[in-house]
Amino acid sequence: EADLVEIYNDLGSIVVRALLTNRARRKSVFVPMHWTDQFASNARVNSLVPAVVDPFSGQPAAKNTACAIRPFAAAYHGFMVTRAEPAMAAADYWAFAKCEGGWRVEFAGLQSPAKFLDLATDLLGAGELLAYQDQKAGEYRYAVFEGEQLNGAIYMSSAPVSISRAWLVSRLGKAHENRLNRYQLLAARPSGTEIDIGSIVCSCFSVGRNQILSAITEKGCANLAAIGNCVQAGTNCGSCRSEIAEILNDTIVRQAAE
Ligand code: FES
């Protein structure tokens, strides 16, 4: 889960992040077709689809393509938020997307850099640097500030990076005027009354996984309609409803087992 995999067949291969889920049929693979070479190093899933179309409708055989999966042997994984558009030539895998206040980037390399600090300063640019390095654990974290403003923060690890991405993205637009909130940034989690909404589940209303969990466990929401009334999730286009149902089901099963 969250690790990188190579999906391949006779036509080529792509590298994407894996998510294990009950939402896809057993032994089948779903890959979004929206990634272009502009936003990802190698994720155009249509490059694996043969040039076969339905003779009547012209529909391509996009849902009937044989493929296999193997691990992408990354030596290190990284996640970055940055105000400036990223230039990712140094990484073997990368994918980035626009977010409020800047960009969020996933990346990885087949070989560890000689110095993680050098890679971080190349990617984040000049500014006031804050660093945390634990060579033994394989954890490297850096943030660069200009005055009170965060220019960017970068998290690298020998394993897939496990941090609160939504919270980090929200920090791009905030002032970092004291040591405490700068250190929180390297810890990659909020403290005190600040809320970590978790990974975004409902894009229409920017509702995170933790908000849905809290609607279920703290506010007693026991079905999709109740969750929608409570936090709005799932009440517009509906494309997030199967994921909300999975969270609800998992939580109810876990509560029943406790
Ligand atoms: S993504 Fe949740 S309603 Fe559209």
Side-chain angles (χ1 to χ4, degrees), residues 155-243:
Y155 304 79
M156 291 179 278
S157 169
S158 50
V161 175
S162 174
I163 52 176
S164 175
R165 286 162 167 75
W167 180 76
L168 284 166
V169 165
S170 76
R171 300 310 303 172
L172 272 175
K174 301 265 187 340
H176 295 81
E177 69 285 8
N178 60 45
R179 276 177 182 273
L180 177 65
N181 55 34
R182 292 186 178 206
Y183 288 148
Q184 275 172 359
L185 201 68
L186 287 193
R189 58 171 181 266
S191 68
T193 53
E194 211 177 346
I195 292 167
D196 170 16
I197 65 170
S199 57
I200 296 293
V201 174
C202 178
S203 312
C204 287
F205 297 110
S206 297
V207 182
R209 184 183 175 81
N210 292 346
Q211 290 169 293
I212 293 168
L213 282 172
S214 144
I216 300 166
T217 56
E218 289 165 29
K219 306 213 170 103
C221 297
N223 55 47
L224 291 181
I227 293 170
N229 281 337
C230 186
V231 291
Q232 276 194 295
T235 57
N236 190 34
C237 73
S239 64
C240 59
R241 288 168 70 87
S242 60
E243 189 172 353

